[in-house]
């Protein structure tokens, strides 16, 4: 995480290093640094050279940049359903020196419904979801490699981070990691209406 300057991915630069979530507009937030650290810690065994990662609800592009540094020669797909955020994330990534990674396709920033994953580049060694789904989307589980791991907040009022593991035989197990409070994983219209 130290290779990526969070100030390039927030609106209020003076608050870039506070350990709290921050609004990035369009009803979205950038998670607190400690939550990004938890995500990386739990996904780390599935990251490395040549690995493929899906970052759902990629927002400003910050965690996608961090993930890129952890999968040299691999691919990070950053998906968000708000086109303005996808455009802004591309700009942020370029400002942070990652324009060549975008140009090579090492980071792919796309507009789409992350609840459905991104089948064009599936399957993924690791999937990070940055907003709370009411239940675990089956399409994301289906796009996880065997073996693979997903880090996803789940729930509506009460939320838990769930670690979803798929073993080499395709068997899926789930483990509750911690209670959290995330914005909901919704569609673009729901987000524009305020969920």
């Amino acid at each position: 995480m130290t290779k990526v300057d969070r100030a390039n991915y927030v609106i209020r630069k003076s608050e870039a290093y506070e350990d709290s979530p921050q609004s990035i507009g369009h009803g979205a937030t950038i998670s607190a640094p400690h939550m990004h650290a938890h995500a990386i810690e739990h996904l780390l065994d599935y990251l490395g050279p040549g690995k493929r990662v899906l970052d759902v609800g990629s927002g400003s592009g910050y965690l996608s940049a961090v993930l890129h540094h952890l999968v040299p020669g691999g691919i990070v797909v950053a998906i968000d359903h708000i086109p303005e955020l996808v455009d802004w994330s591309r700009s942020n990534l370029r400002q942070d020196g990652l324009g060549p990674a975008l140009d090579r396709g090492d980071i792919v920033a796309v507009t789409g419904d992350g609840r459905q994953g991104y089948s064009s580049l599936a399957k993924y060694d690791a999937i990070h979801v940055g907003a709370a789904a009411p239940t675990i989307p089956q399409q994301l589980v289906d796009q996880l490699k065997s073996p693979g791991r997903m880090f996803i907040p789940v729930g509506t009022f009460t939320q838990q981070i769930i670690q979803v593991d798929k073993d080499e035989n395709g068997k899926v197990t789930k483990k509750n990691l911690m209670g959290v409070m995330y914005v909901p994983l919704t569609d673009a219209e729901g987000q524009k209406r305020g969920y």
Side-chain angles (χ1 to χ4, degrees):
M1 288 177 55
T2 59
K3 290 184 178 181
V4 180
D5 188 349
R6 193 167 185 257
N8 291 323
Y9 299 88
V10 297
I11 293 173
R12 292 183 304 275
K13 308 288 186 209
S14 63
E15 300 173 10
Y17 309 112
E18 291 181 11
D19 191 19
S20 63
Q22 296 177 24
S23 173
I24 55 171
H26 307 281
T29 61
I30 181 173
S31 294
H34 76 272
M35 286 309 303
H36 284 145
H38 281 303
I40 295 300
E41 178 183 358
H42 287 281
L43 294 173
L44 199 55
D45 289 344
Y46 294 84
L47 305 175
K51 299 291 185 171
R52 193 167 289 211
V53 183
L54 177 64
D55 185 15
V56 175
S58 54
S60 70
Y62 172 76
L63 191 62
S64 299
V66 172
L67 290 164
H68 165 72
H69 289 290
L70 295 170
V71 294
I75 296 174
V76 175
V77 176
I79 187 167
D80 203 289
H81 57 223
I82 304 295
E84 295 86 353
L85 286 178
V86 174
D87 291 343
W88 185 50
S89 73
R90 287 186 189 118
S91 174
N92 294 341
L93 290 160
R94 288 190 185 284
Q95 179 179 331
D96 203 26
L98 295 175
L102 283 166
D103 297 340
R104 285 191 306 269
D106 296 342
I107 302 173
V108 179
V110 296
T111 301
D113 186 344
R115 298 171 299 177
Q116 297 173 13
Y118 191 70
S119 60
S120 298
L121 291 172
K123 296 201 168 191
Y124 302 97
D125 298 282
I127 298 175
H128 167 266
V129 182
T135 60
I136 298 170
Q138 186 59 45
Q139 286 156 311
L140 294 180
V141 175
D142 293 345
Q143 291 179 32
L144 200 56
K145 279 187 183 176
S146 295
R149 176 171 288 169
M150 178 169 33
F151 181 93
I152 179 170
V154 177
T156 49
F157 183 71
T158 302
Q159 300 173 356
Q160 291 282 320
I161 294 288
I162 298 180
Q163 177 178 294
V164 179
D165 286 316
K166 187 186 282 188
D167 71 15
E168 57 280 347
N169 298 314
K171 180 182 176 196
V172 175
T173 57
K174 301 168 188 161
K175 177 181 177 183
N176 288 351
L177 298 177
M178 68 189 89
V180 292
M181 183 56 74
Y182 273 70
V183 296
L185 185 63
T186 184
D187 59 23
E189 285 306 312
Q191 189 163 332
K192 288 177 185 173
R193 285 192 315 269
Y195 313 115

